[in-house]
């Protein structure tokens, strides 16, 4: 290597030694077979979130076969919305985030995967600016309990945005906020799919049951056998 290459390479190694995640150093992360641009204003998409995408694709295909409107709340780099839009040409997605900087990264990912015409990016608090009711509400919102933030690895706590992690005292504050906004924003026969922490299945079902006492509610486990997705089929 030339001296310039050696010094550039050493600088990259130094960043990793300082615990910066590899995906932020390279600026890329694979998710659902697609390459995503990632940068520090947005969480690095995790493999377990692919389960949420799988469930959404399954429902959108089997139940809402002809046209399907979806809202992805807390879209970050846009991984969930883009993965669904790329795989299902009949869906239209509203993708929300409270962070304008995260939405800029999502915009770039929509563009690079050719789905900008079907994914509408909107800045707002949960569903505040949803233009019309949808068939599917999906979200991987922050769900780390405040008391557990200190236990996160330095890769996460020093580099990933707190806004993408902190779920309040019980970890379910954001998720409950979204569930409480479902009525009026979900079309009849619609469903809610939510990613949760591995030990939040019981509490999440209880919370969902309080909001929708007559609904069908179920938990799907991830490939490690851990609680990961809550599915709610509300009836009002
Ligand atoms: C856990 S990250 C998930 C990002 C992405 N969906 C993924 O799975 O990789 C949660 C995202 O929710 C966003 N967020 C936090 N609070 C929000 C709120 N009140 N309304 C909308 N988005 C919010 C954060 O900015 C962050 O991008």
């Amino acid at each position: 290597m030339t001296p310039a290459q050696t010094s550039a390479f050493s600088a990259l190694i130094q960043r990793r030694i300082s615990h910066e995640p590899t995906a932020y150093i390279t600026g890329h992360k694979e998710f659902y077979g697609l390459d995503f641009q990632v940068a520090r204003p947005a969480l690095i998409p995790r493999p377990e979130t692919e389960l949420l995408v799988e469930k959404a694709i399954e429902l959108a295909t089997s139940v809402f076969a002809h046209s399907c409107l979806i809202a992805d709340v807390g879209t970050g780099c846009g991984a969930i919305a883009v993965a669904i839009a790329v795989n299902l040409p009949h869906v239209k997605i509203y993708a929300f985030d409270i962070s304008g900087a995260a939405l800029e990264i999502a915009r770039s990912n929509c563009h690079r995967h050719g789905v900008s015409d079907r994914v509408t990016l909107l800045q707002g608090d949960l569903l505040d600016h949803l233009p019309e009711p949808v068939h599917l509400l999906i979200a991987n919102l922050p769900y780390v309990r405040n008391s557990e933030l200190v236990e996160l690895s330095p890769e996460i706590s020093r580099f990933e945005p707190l806004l993408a992690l902190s779920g309040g005292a019980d970890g379910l504050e954001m998720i409950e906020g979204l569930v409480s906004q479902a009525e009026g924003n979900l079309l009849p026969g619609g469903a809610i799919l939510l990613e949760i922490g591995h030990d939040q299945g019981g509490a999440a079902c209880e919370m969902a049951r309080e909001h929708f006492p007559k609904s069908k509610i179920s938990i799907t486990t991830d490939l490690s056998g851990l609680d990961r997705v809550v599915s709610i089929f509300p009836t009002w």
Side-chain angles (χ1 to χ4, degrees):
M1 291 198 293
T2 64
Q5 285 171 327
T6 306
S7 109
F9 186 65
S10 301
L12 294 174
I13 295 297
Q14 198 49 52
R15 284 170 68 182
R16 187 66 195 100
I17 289 170
S18 311
H19 296 281
E20 184 167 351
T22 306
Y24 284 152
I25 298 173
T26 61
H28 294 267
K29 180 73 183 177
E30 186 270 347
F31 178 81
Y32 213 78
L34 300 168
D35 180 56
F36 283 88
Q37 185 202 328
V38 291
R40 283 184 63 177
L43 190 96
I44 299 164
R46 306 294 205 267
E48 53 268 33
T49 302
E50 292 182 342
L51 181 63
L52 190 66
V53 173
E54 264 173 36
K55 299 280 296 173
I57 290 180
E58 202 179 285
L59 265 179
T61 312
S62 59
V63 184
F64 312 107
H66 300 298
S67 71
C68 183
L69 279 177
I70 297 177
D72 169 27
V73 187
T75 198
C77 76
I80 296 171
V82 170
I84 295 172
V86 164
N87 282 280
L88 297 179
H90 70 289
V91 303
K92 189 174 140 194
I93 304 179
Y94 295 109
F96 288 91
D97 209 288
I98 201 160
S99 158
L103 285 174
E104 283 316 306
I105 301 167
R107 195 173 311 286
S108 153
N109 283 317
C110 286
H111 181 70
R112 94 194 256 148
H113 291 293
V115 294
S116 304
D117 56 334
R118 289 184 296 115
V119 178
T120 305
L121 298 167
L122 297 162
Q123 187 169 8
D125 187 2
L126 300 176
L127 287 174
D128 274 359
H129 304 300
L130 183 67
E132 58 185 327
V134 295
H135 297 100
L136 271 183
L137 276 179
I138 57 176
N140 174 20
L141 281 163
Y143 53 71
V144 181
R145 295 178 187 91
N146 284 348
S147 59
E148 290 171 352
L149 289 169
V150 288
E151 293 161 21
L152 296 172
S153 69
E155 274 77 0
I156 301 174
S157 61
R158 286 197 215 149
F159 291 91
E160 296 201 276
L162 186 62
L163 199 55
L165 302 168
S166 171
D170 66 354
L172 293 172
E173 277 179 21
M174 291 283 156
I175 293 175
E176 180 159 19
L178 176 63
V179 167
S180 69
Q181 289 186 347
E183 191 165 1
N185 285 313
L186 203 57
L187 289 164
I192 309 170
L193 301 176
L194 305 163
E195 179 166 325
I196 52 162
H198 65 90
D199 56 356
Q200 293 173 341
C205 284
E206 212 173 291
M207 175 275 289
R209 179 79 50 216
E210 274 168 28
H211 287 270
F212 308 110
K214 288 183 259 165
S215 307
K216 189 180 149 215
I217 299 166
S218 62
I219 299 279
T220 309
T221 52
D222 63 20
L223 292 174
S224 307
L226 303 170
D227 290 353
R228 192 57 64 192
V229 173
V230 185
S231 306
I232 309 169
F233 297 85
T235 42
W236 283 285

Short mmCIF file of all heavy atoms in Angstrom, two decimals, residues 52-101:
data_model
loop_
_atom_site.label_atom_id
_atom_site.label_comp_id
_atom_site.label_asym_id
_atom_site.label_seq_id
_atom_site.Cartn_x
_atom_site.Cartn_y
_atom_site.Cartn_z
N LEU A 52 -40.46 -8.99 10.84
CA LEU A 52 -41.56 -8.03 10.69
C LEU A 52 -41.88 -7.84 9.19
O LEU A 52 -43.05 -7.81 8.79
CB LEU A 52 -41.14 -6.70 11.32
CG LEU A 52 -42.18 -5.62 11.51
CD1 LEU A 52 -43.23 -6.05 12.51
CD2 LEU A 52 -41.52 -4.33 12.02
N VAL A 53 -40.84 -7.77 8.39
CA VAL A 53 -41.03 -7.62 6.93
C VAL A 53 -41.72 -8.86 6.37
O VAL A 53 -42.67 -8.75 5.60
CB VAL A 53 -39.66 -7.39 6.24
CG1 VAL A 53 -39.79 -7.40 4.72
CG2 VAL A 53 -39.04 -6.09 6.71
N GLU A 54 -41.26 -10.04 6.80
CA GLU A 54 -41.87 -11.30 6.33
C GLU A 54 -43.35 -11.34 6.66
O GLU A 54 -44.18 -11.70 5.82
CB GLU A 54 -41.22 -12.49 7.04
CG GLU A 54 -40.12 -13.14 6.28
CD GLU A 54 -39.42 -14.20 7.14
OE1 GLU A 54 -40.08 -14.89 7.94
OE2 GLU A 54 -38.19 -14.30 7.01
N LYS A 55 -43.69 -10.98 7.91
CA LYS A 55 -45.10 -11.02 8.34
C LYS A 55 -45.92 -10.03 7.52
O LYS A 55 -47.05 -10.31 7.13
CB LYS A 55 -45.23 -10.66 9.83
CG LYS A 55 -44.52 -11.58 10.77
CD LYS A 55 -45.26 -12.85 11.06
CE LYS A 55 -46.57 -12.71 11.75
NZ LYS A 55 -47.28 -14.00 11.85
N ALA A 56 -45.37 -8.84 7.30
CA ALA A 56 -46.10 -7.81 6.54
C ALA A 56 -46.33 -8.27 5.10
O ALA A 56 -47.42 -8.12 4.56
CB ALA A 56 -45.33 -6.49 6.58
N ILE A 57 -45.31 -8.86 4.50
CA ILE A 57 -45.44 -9.32 3.11
C ILE A 57 -46.49 -10.44 3.02
O ILE A 57 -47.34 -10.45 2.13
CB ILE A 57 -44.07 -9.79 2.56
CG1 ILE A 57 -43.16 -8.58 2.38
CG2 ILE A 57 -44.23 -10.56 1.26
CD1 ILE A 57 -41.77 -8.87 1.85
N GLU A 58 -46.46 -11.33 4.01
CA GLU A 58 -47.43 -12.44 4.06
C GLU A 58 -48.87 -11.90 4.12
O GLU A 58 -49.73 -12.31 3.34
CB GLU A 58 -47.12 -13.20 5.35
CG GLU A 58 -47.55 -14.63 5.45
CD GLU A 58 -47.09 -15.14 6.83
OE1 GLU A 58 -45.87 -15.39 6.97
OE2 GLU A 58 -47.94 -15.26 7.73
N LEU A 59 -49.10 -10.95 5.02
CA LEU A 59 -50.45 -10.39 5.17
C LEU A 59 -50.87 -9.59 3.95
O LEU A 59 -51.99 -9.71 3.46
CB LEU A 59 -50.48 -9.46 6.39
CG LEU A 59 -50.96 -10.05 7.70
CD1 LEU A 59 -50.89 -9.00 8.78
CD2 LEU A 59 -52.39 -10.56 7.56
N ALA A 60 -49.96 -8.75 3.48
CA ALA A 60 -50.28 -7.89 2.33
C ALA A 60 -50.59 -8.73 1.10
O ALA A 60 -51.38 -8.35 0.25
CB ALA A 60 -49.13 -6.94 2.04
N THR A 61 -49.97 -9.91 1.00
CA THR A 61 -50.20 -10.77 -0.15
C THR A 61 -51.48 -11.58 0.00
O THR A 61 -52.27 -11.68 -0.94
CB THR A 61 -49.02 -11.77 -0.31
OG1 THR A 61 -47.82 -11.04 -0.21
CG2 THR A 61 -49.06 -12.49 -1.63
N SER A 62 -51.69 -12.14 1.20
CA SER A 62 -52.83 -13.06 1.34
C SER A 62 -54.14 -12.33 1.63
O SER A 62 -55.19 -12.72 1.14
CB SER A 62 -52.55 -14.08 2.44
OG SER A 62 -52.30 -13.41 3.65
N VAL A 63 -54.09 -11.26 2.40
CA VAL A 63 -55.34 -10.61 2.80
C VAL A 63 -55.67 -9.39 1.93
O VAL A 63 -56.82 -9.17 1.58
CB VAL A 63 -55.27 -10.20 4.30
CG1 VAL A 63 -56.60 -9.61 4.76
CG2 VAL A 63 -54.89 -11.39 5.17
N PHE A 64 -54.64 -8.61 1.59
CA PHE A 64 -54.90 -7.38 0.81
C PHE A 64 -54.23 -7.53 -0.55
O PHE A 64 -53.33 -6.77 -0.91
CB PHE A 64 -54.36 -6.16 1.54
CG PHE A 64 -54.76 -6.12 2.99
CD1 PHE A 64 -53.83 -6.37 3.98
CD2 PHE A 64 -56.06 -5.83 3.35
CE1 PHE A 64 -54.20 -6.34 5.32
CE2 PHE A 64 -56.44 -5.80 4.69
CZ PHE A 64 -55.51 -6.06 5.67
N ALA A 65 -54.67 -8.54 -1.29
CA ALA A 65 -53.94 -8.95 -2.49
C ALA A 65 -53.87 -7.89 -3.59
O ALA A 65 -52.88 -7.80 -4.29
CB ALA A 65 -54.56 -10.22 -3.04
N HIS A 66 -54.92 -7.08 -3.75
CA HIS A 66 -54.96 -6.22 -4.93
C HIS A 66 -54.34 -4.86 -4.71
O HIS A 66 -53.61 -4.34 -5.55
CB HIS A 66 -56.39 -6.12 -5.45
CG HIS A 66 -56.90 -7.47 -5.83
ND1 HIS A 66 -56.31 -8.23 -6.82
CD2 HIS A 66 -57.88 -8.24 -5.31
CE1 HIS A 66 -56.92 -9.40 -6.90
NE2 HIS A 66 -57.88 -9.42 -6.00
N SER A 67 -54.65 -4.25 -3.59
CA SER A 67 -53.98 -3.00 -3.28
C SER A 67 -53.84 -2.96 -1.78
O SER A 67 -54.68 -3.49 -1.04
CB SER A 67 -54.81 -1.81 -3.77
OG SER A 67 -55.95 -1.69 -2.96
N CYS A 68 -52.76 -2.42 -1.32
CA CYS A 68 -52.54 -2.42 0.12
C CYS A 68 -51.85 -1.12 0.52
O CYS A 68 -50.82 -0.74 -0.05
CB CYS A 68 -51.68 -3.63 0.50
SG CYS A 68 -51.41 -3.77 2.27
N LEU A 69 -52.45 -0.47 1.50
CA LEU A 69 -51.85 0.76 2.04
C LEU A 69 -51.21 0.41 3.37
O LEU A 69 -51.84 -0.22 4.23
CB LEU A 69 -52.95 1.80 2.31
CG LEU A 69 -53.47 2.62 1.15
CD1 LEU A 69 -54.59 3.52 1.64
CD2 LEU A 69 -52.33 3.47 0.58
N ILE A 70 -49.97 0.85 3.54
CA ILE A 70 -49.22 0.50 4.75
C ILE A 70 -48.64 1.77 5.37
O ILE A 70 -48.23 2.68 4.64
CB ILE A 70 -48.06 -0.47 4.39
CG1 ILE A 70 -48.61 -1.78 3.82
CG2 ILE A 70 -47.17 -0.74 5.60
CD1 ILE A 70 -47.54 -2.78 3.38
N ALA A 71 -48.59 1.81 6.70
CA ALA A 71 -47.82 2.87 7.37
C ALA A 71 -46.70 2.21 8.15
O ALA A 71 -46.94 1.29 8.95
CB ALA A 71 -48.71 3.69 8.30
N ASP A 72 -45.45 2.63 7.89
CA ASP A 72 -44.28 2.14 8.64
C ASP A 72 -43.86 3.29 9.56
O ASP A 72 -43.41 4.34 9.09
CB ASP A 72 -43.16 1.80 7.64
CG ASP A 72 -41.82 1.55 8.33
OD1 ASP A 72 -41.81 1.15 9.50
OD2 ASP A 72 -40.77 1.77 7.67
N VAL A 73 -44.03 3.08 10.86
CA VAL A 73 -43.80 4.18 11.81
C VAL A 73 -42.44 4.02 12.49
O VAL A 73 -42.17 2.98 13.09
CB VAL A 73 -44.94 4.22 12.85
CG1 VAL A 73 -44.80 5.45 13.73
CG2 VAL A 73 -46.29 4.22 12.15
N GLY A 74 -41.60 5.05 12.38
CA GLY A 74 -40.24 4.99 12.88
C GLY A 74 -39.37 4.30 11.85
O GLY A 74 -38.69 3.32 12.12
N THR A 75 -39.36 4.85 10.65
CA THR A 75 -38.76 4.13 9.51
C THR A 75 -37.22 4.13 9.53
O THR A 75 -36.59 3.28 8.90
CB THR A 75 -39.30 4.69 8.17
OG1 THR A 75 -39.04 3.76 7.13
CG2 THR A 75 -38.67 6.03 7.80
N GLY A 76 -36.60 5.07 10.24
CA GLY A 76 -35.13 5.10 10.29
C GLY A 76 -34.54 5.23 8.89
O GLY A 76 -34.90 6.13 8.13
N CYS A 77 -33.67 4.29 8.51
CA CYS A 77 -33.05 4.35 7.17
C CYS A 77 -34.00 3.85 6.09
O CYS A 77 -33.62 3.77 4.93
CB CYS A 77 -31.74 3.57 7.15
SG CYS A 77 -31.98 1.79 7.08
N GLY A 78 -35.23 3.49 6.49
CA GLY A 78 -36.23 3.07 5.50
C GLY A 78 -36.21 1.58 5.19
O GLY A 78 -36.90 1.12 4.28
N ALA A 79 -35.44 0.81 5.97
CA ALA A 79 -35.23 -0.61 5.63
C ALA A 79 -36.54 -1.38 5.46
O ALA A 79 -36.72 -2.11 4.47
CB ALA A 79 -34.37 -1.27 6.71
N ILE A 80 -37.46 -1.24 6.43
CA ILE A 80 -38.70 -2.02 6.39
C ILE A 80 -39.55 -1.61 5.18
O ILE A 80 -39.99 -2.44 4.39
CB ILE A 80 -39.50 -1.83 7.71
CG1 ILE A 80 -38.70 -2.39 8.89
CG2 ILE A 80 -40.87 -2.47 7.62
CD1 ILE A 80 -39.29 -2.05 10.26
N ALA A 81 -39.76 -0.30 5.05
CA ALA A 81 -40.61 0.21 3.97
C ALA A 81 -40.05 -0.16 2.60
O ALA A 81 -40.77 -0.63 1.71
CB ALA A 81 -40.76 1.73 4.10
N VAL A 82 -38.75 0.02 2.43
CA VAL A 82 -38.13 -0.26 1.12
C VAL A 82 -38.18 -1.76 0.82
O VAL A 82 -38.53 -2.16 -0.30
CB VAL A 82 -36.68 0.27 1.07
CG1 VAL A 82 -35.95 -0.23 -0.18
CG2 VAL A 82 -36.65 1.79 1.14
N ALA A 83 -37.88 -2.60 1.82
CA ALA A 83 -37.89 -4.06 1.59
C ALA A 83 -39.28 -4.52 1.17
O ALA A 83 -39.43 -5.35 0.27
CB ALA A 83 -37.43 -4.80 2.84
N ILE A 84 -40.32 -3.97 1.81
CA ILE A 84 -41.68 -4.37 1.44
C ILE A 84 -42.02 -3.85 0.04
O ILE A 84 -42.54 -4.58 -0.81
CB ILE A 84 -42.71 -3.85 2.48
CG1 ILE A 84 -42.47 -4.52 3.84
CG2 ILE A 84 -44.14 -4.12 2.01
CD1 ILE A 84 -43.29 -3.94 4.97
N ALA A 85 -41.71 -2.58 -0.21
CA ALA A 85 -42.06 -1.99 -1.51
C ALA A 85 -41.35 -2.70 -2.66
O ALA A 85 -41.93 -2.91 -3.73
CB ALA A 85 -41.73 -0.50 -1.51
N VAL A 86 -40.10 -3.09 -2.45
CA VAL A 86 -39.35 -3.77 -3.51
C VAL A 86 -40.00 -5.13 -3.82
O VAL A 86 -40.09 -5.55 -4.97
CB VAL A 86 -37.87 -3.97 -3.11
CG1 VAL A 86 -37.17 -5.00 -3.98
CG2 VAL A 86 -37.12 -2.64 -3.15
N ASN A 87 -40.48 -5.81 -2.77
CA ASN A 87 -41.04 -7.15 -2.95
C ASN A 87 -42.50 -7.17 -3.36
O ASN A 87 -42.99 -8.19 -3.85
CB ASN A 87 -40.84 -7.97 -1.67
CG ASN A 87 -39.40 -8.46 -1.55
OD1 ASN A 87 -39.04 -9.45 -2.18
ND2 ASN A 87 -38.57 -7.73 -0.83
N LEU A 88 -43.23 -6.07 -3.09
CA LEU A 88 -44.66 -6.04 -3.41
C LEU A 88 -45.00 -4.81 -4.23
O LEU A 88 -45.23 -3.72 -3.68
CB LEU A 88 -45.48 -6.02 -2.12
CG LEU A 88 -45.37 -7.23 -1.19
CD1 LEU A 88 -46.24 -7.02 0.05
CD2 LEU A 88 -45.80 -8.51 -1.91
N PRO A 89 -45.09 -4.97 -5.55
CA PRO A 89 -45.33 -3.80 -6.41
C PRO A 89 -46.72 -3.18 -6.21
O PRO A 89 -46.93 -2.06 -6.65
CB PRO A 89 -45.21 -4.37 -7.82
CG PRO A 89 -44.69 -5.75 -7.69
CD PRO A 89 -44.88 -6.21 -6.29
N HIS A 90 -47.66 -3.90 -5.54
CA HIS A 90 -49.01 -3.33 -5.39
C HIS A 90 -49.19 -2.52 -4.12
O HIS A 90 -50.28 -2.04 -3.85
CB HIS A 90 -50.06 -4.45 -5.47
CG HIS A 90 -50.06 -5.36 -4.27
ND1 HIS A 90 -49.06 -6.26 -4.03
CD2 HIS A 90 -50.95 -5.51 -3.26
CE1 HIS A 90 -49.33 -6.93 -2.91
NE2 HIS A 90 -50.47 -6.49 -2.43
N VAL A 91 -48.16 -2.36 -3.31
CA VAL A 91 -48.36 -1.62 -2.06
C VAL A 91 -47.92 -0.17 -2.18
O VAL A 91 -47.04 0.18 -2.98
CB VAL A 91 -47.61 -2.25 -0.85
CG1 VAL A 91 -48.00 -3.68 -0.62
CG2 VAL A 91 -46.10 -2.11 -1.00
N LYS A 92 -48.59 0.66 -1.36
CA LYS A 92 -48.18 2.05 -1.22
C LYS A 92 -47.91 2.26 0.26
O LYS A 92 -48.70 1.80 1.11
CB LYS A 92 -49.35 2.93 -1.71
CG LYS A 92 -49.01 4.39 -1.84
CD LYS A 92 -50.18 5.13 -2.47
CE LYS A 92 -50.33 6.46 -1.76
NZ LYS A 92 -51.59 7.15 -2.03
N ILE A 93 -46.81 2.90 0.57
CA ILE A 93 -46.39 2.98 1.97
C ILE A 93 -46.17 4.43 2.41
O ILE A 93 -45.52 5.21 1.69
CB ILE A 93 -45.07 2.18 2.19
CG1 ILE A 93 -45.26 0.72 1.72
CG2 ILE A 93 -44.64 2.22 3.66
CD1 ILE A 93 -44.03 -0.15 1.86
N TYR A 94 -46.71 4.77 3.57
CA TYR A 94 -46.36 6.03 4.23
C TYR A 94 -45.32 5.68 5.28
O TYR A 94 -45.59 4.87 6.18
CB TYR A 94 -47.58 6.66 4.91
CG TYR A 94 -48.64 7.08 3.92
CD1 TYR A 94 -49.85 6.40 3.83
CD2 TYR A 94 -48.43 8.17 3.08
CE1 TYR A 94 -50.82 6.79 2.91
CE2 TYR A 94 -49.39 8.55 2.15
CZ TYR A 94 -50.58 7.86 2.09
OH TYR A 94 -51.54 8.24 1.18
N ALA A 95 -44.13 6.26 5.18
CA ALA A 95 -43.06 5.95 6.13
C ALA A 95 -42.76 7.19 6.97
O ALA A 95 -42.39 8.24 6.44
CB ALA A 95 -41.82 5.49 5.38
N PHE A 96 -42.95 7.03 8.29
CA PHE A 96 -42.80 8.17 9.20
C PHE A 96 -41.54 8.09 10.04
O PHE A 96 -41.13 6.99 10.45
CB PHE A 96 -43.95 8.17 10.23
CG PHE A 96 -45.26 8.55 9.65
CD1 PHE A 96 -46.10 7.58 9.14
CD2 PHE A 96 -45.66 9.87 9.61
CE1 PHE A 96 -47.32 7.92 8.60
CE2 PHE A 96 -46.87 10.23 9.07
CZ PHE A 96 -47.71 9.25 8.56
N ASP A 97 -40.98 9.22 10.33
CA ASP A 97 -39.99 9.29 11.41
C ASP A 97 -40.05 10.68 12.02
O ASP A 97 -40.37 11.65 11.33
CB ASP A 97 -38.57 8.98 10.92
CG ASP A 97 -37.72 8.36 12.02
OD1 ASP A 97 -37.35 9.09 12.96
OD2 ASP A 97 -37.46 7.14 11.98
N ILE A 98 -39.71 10.74 13.30
CA ILE A 98 -39.68 12.04 13.96
C ILE A 98 -38.38 12.77 13.61
O ILE A 98 -38.29 13.98 13.72
CB ILE A 98 -39.86 11.85 15.49
CG1 ILE A 98 -40.35 13.12 16.15
CG2 ILE A 98 -38.60 11.30 16.15
CD1 ILE A 98 -41.00 12.92 17.50
N SER A 99 -37.38 11.99 13.16
CA SER A 99 -36.07 12.56 12.85
C SER A 99 -35.94 12.90 11.36
O SER A 99 -35.98 12.02 10.49
CB SER A 99 -34.98 11.55 13.24
OG SER A 99 -33.79 11.80 12.53
N GLY A 100 -35.77 14.20 11.08
CA GLY A 100 -35.59 14.64 9.70
C GLY A 100 -34.31 14.08 9.11
O GLY A 100 -34.25 13.74 7.92
N ALA A 101 -33.26 13.96 9.94
CA ALA A 101 -31.97 13.46 9.44
C ALA A 101 -32.09 11.98 9.05
O ALA A 101 -31.52 11.55 8.03
CB ALA A 101 -30.90 13.64 10.51
#
